[in-house]
Amino acid sequence: MVMLTILNYLVLRKYSAMVNRLILIFFIGLVLTGFGFGTEKIHVRFESVNGLVAKDRVMFDGTAIGNVKKISYGDDGIFTVSLSISNDFKDFLTEHSRFTIVSDPHDGSRMAVEVMKVRIGGTPLKNGSSVEGSNKYQVLLEMMKDDAKDGIGFLKKEYQRFSNELKSLSEHEKVTKLKETIARLGQELAKESRETRDKIASEIIPMLEKEIEALREELEALGRGEEVEPLEKELEKIKYI
C-alpha cells in the first residue's frame, strides 16, 4: 500500500510538472503572438506613419493607455497600425474616437498614437475594429464645428505644443515646419463650408502670425528676414479660401 501511494505521488508530481510546462508554453505563445488578456485591439489606417514604430505608446490626454503592436504596409500604399489598448480605457474607444500620430509628449525622440474624443458617448468600437486615422487639422475642424468651447480649448493646447516644438528647431527647420503647417491647414480648410472656414481662420491665423513674427525677428537678426515672406503670402491666401 505504501509503495502504491509513493507511485501515485510520483505520477501526480510528474503529471503536475508536465501541466505546468504546458501552461508556461501556452502563455509564452500568447506573448510571442502579441495576444494579451485585458486589452483591446484596434487597427488604424494611415497614409504615413511619420517615424512611428512598434512599441511606441498610445496616449490619451497625456496618459499612456497602450502601445503599438505592429505596423504593416499594404499593396494600396496604406499603413495599418495595430494597437493594443488596456481594457481599463476601452470606454475611450467609440465611433467618436480619433487617432493621430504625434510626438510622444514624454519622450521627444519617439512618436506616439494619440486618441481623442471629438464627442461624448457614441457606439463602442468592437475589439479588432479597423478605423481610419486622422491628422490634427481634421480633428480640430471637427471639434470646432460641433462644440466651439471644446474646439477652442483643444486648439489652444495644440498651439502651445506646436509653439514649444518650434522652439527646439533651427531657423531653417522652423521655416519648413511653418510652411508645411500652413499648406496642410489650407488643404483641410478648403474642404469646409465658408462659415466653418471663417470661424477656424479667425482663431488659427492669429496664432500662426504670431509664430511667423517671432521667426522674422530671429531671422532679421541674422540678416535673413526675407525668408519669412513666402510664409506670410501663403498664410494670406488662407484668409480668402
Side-chain angles (χ1 to χ4, degrees):
M1 176 66 80
V2 173
M3 183 61 69
L4 184 60
T5 300
I6 293 173
L7 287 174
N8 286 337
Y9 169 76
L10 291 174
V11 169
L12 287 172
R13 183 176 178 181
K14 183 177 181 180
Y15 176 75
S16 177
M18 180 178 68
V19 170
N20 287 337
R21 283 198 299 272
L22 289 173
I23 291 174
L24 179 61
I25 291 170
F26 173 72
F27 278 102
I28 290 174
L30 291 178
V31 171
L32 292 176
T33 56
F35 183 87
F37 291 112
T39 60
E40 296 286 313
K41 301 298 186 298
I42 302 294
H43 307 288
V44 190
R45 288 165 51 84
F46 291 101
E47 292 182 0
S48 62
V49 293
N50 302 323
L52 187 78
V53 296
K55 296 185 180 180
D56 280 345
R57 298 193 294 180
V58 180
M59 310 295 293
F60 182 90
D61 198 23
T63 299
I65 65 173
N67 56 64
V68 176
K69 299 300 291 185
K70 183 176 68 172
I71 299 175
S72 56
Y73 184 71
D75 294 336
D76 57 357
I78 298 297
F79 293 89
T80 298
V81 178
S82 298
L83 310 177
S84 177
I85 298 176
S86 170
N87 233 355
D88 293 337
F89 301 97
K90 68 179 181 180
D91 290 343
F92 298 157
L93 308 176
T94 75
E95 61 181 315
H96 301 320
S97 299
R98 300 294 180 262
F99 301 81
T100 67
I101 296 175
V102 300
S103 295
D104 189 313
H106 303 301
D107 183 353
S109 66
R110 301 184 69 93
M111 303 301 289
V113 174
E114 185 170 20
V115 182
M116 290 169 286
K117 291 285 292 292
V118 295
R119 301 182 195 88
I120 61 173
T123 303
L125 294 178
K126 294 181 179 179
N127 194 8
S129 293
S130 293
V131 299
E132 295 298 320
S134 303
N135 63 59
K136 288 285 186 175
Y137 303 105
Q138 292 170 331
V139 177
L140 172 60
L141 292 172
E142 193 170 359
M143 293 182 74
M144 290 288 283
K145 283 189 293 184
D146 292 340
D147 189 325
K149 182 179 179 181
D150 286 348
I152 291 174
F154 173 71
L155 169 61
K156 290 179 178 178
K157 183 175 73 172
E158 288 306 309
Y159 168 70
Q160 191 58 55
R161 181 189 301 188
F162 177 72
S163 183
N164 290 338
E165 182 181 349
L166 284 180
K167 290 176 183 176
S168 66
L169 303 178
S170 68
E171 286 80 10
H172 176 73
E173 291 171 329
K174 288 178 183 177
V175 171
T176 300
K177 184 70 173 180
L178 282 164
K179 182 178 180 180
E180 293 173 350
T181 298
I182 293 169
R184 192 58 183 265
L185 177 61
Q187 292 172 3
E188 297 302 330
L189 283 175
K191 303 173 186 177
E192 302 298 328
S193 67
R194 168 57 64 184
E195 180 182 3
T196 300
R197 292 201 301 269
D198 289 345
K199 182 167 64 174
I200 302 298
S202 67
E203 297 290 342
I204 295 178
I205 288 178
M207 294 180 176
L208 291 174
E209 287 176 333
K210 182 179 178 180
E211 293 301 330
I212 290 175
E213 183 58 31
L215 179 57
R216 174 187 286 280
E217 293 178 4
E218 290 182 39
L219 289 172
E220 284 181 344
L222 299 172
R224 296 161 47 195
E226 72 282 355
E227 292 182 30
V228 301
E229 292 177 4
L231 298 178
E232 293 172 326
K233 291 179 180 178
E234 290 303 312
L235 190 59
E236 190 67 19
K237 290 179 183 178
I238 291 181
K239 298 178 182 179
Y240 303 102
I241 291 177

